[in-house]
Amino acid sequence: VSTAVLRRITMYHESSIKIMHAAGSGWQPAVLAGLDELTKDVTTAERQILSPYVALAKTILQEVR
């Protein structure tokens, strides 16, 4: 995975934590939408690497509700 994509993942993680703290109980849709945005502009190879982790994160986030 490229350095640029790793940087985006790190920024997504930091933003998600800020959203969770600021939004109270309504943070799940924003954090889930952020995951979709995270994988939009990556190469096919990077998407294949990231997809299991994104799917796992989505499952965990949906179950936290």
Side-chain angles (χ1 to χ4, degrees), residues 10-52:
T10 302
M11 290 174 59
Y12 162 77
H13 186 254
E14 291 173 354
S15 296
S16 295
I17 291 171
K18 290 176 185 175
I19 290 169
M20 288 176 187
H21 288 289
S25 63
W27 57 266
Q28 286 96 342
V31 173
L32 287 168
L35 275 172
D36 291 332
E37 290 297 317
L38 180 66
T39 57
K40 273 190 178 178
D41 296 323
V42 298
T43 66
T44 302
E46 289 171 327
R47 189 173 292 111
Q48 288 176 339
I49 292 168
L50 296 175
S51 11

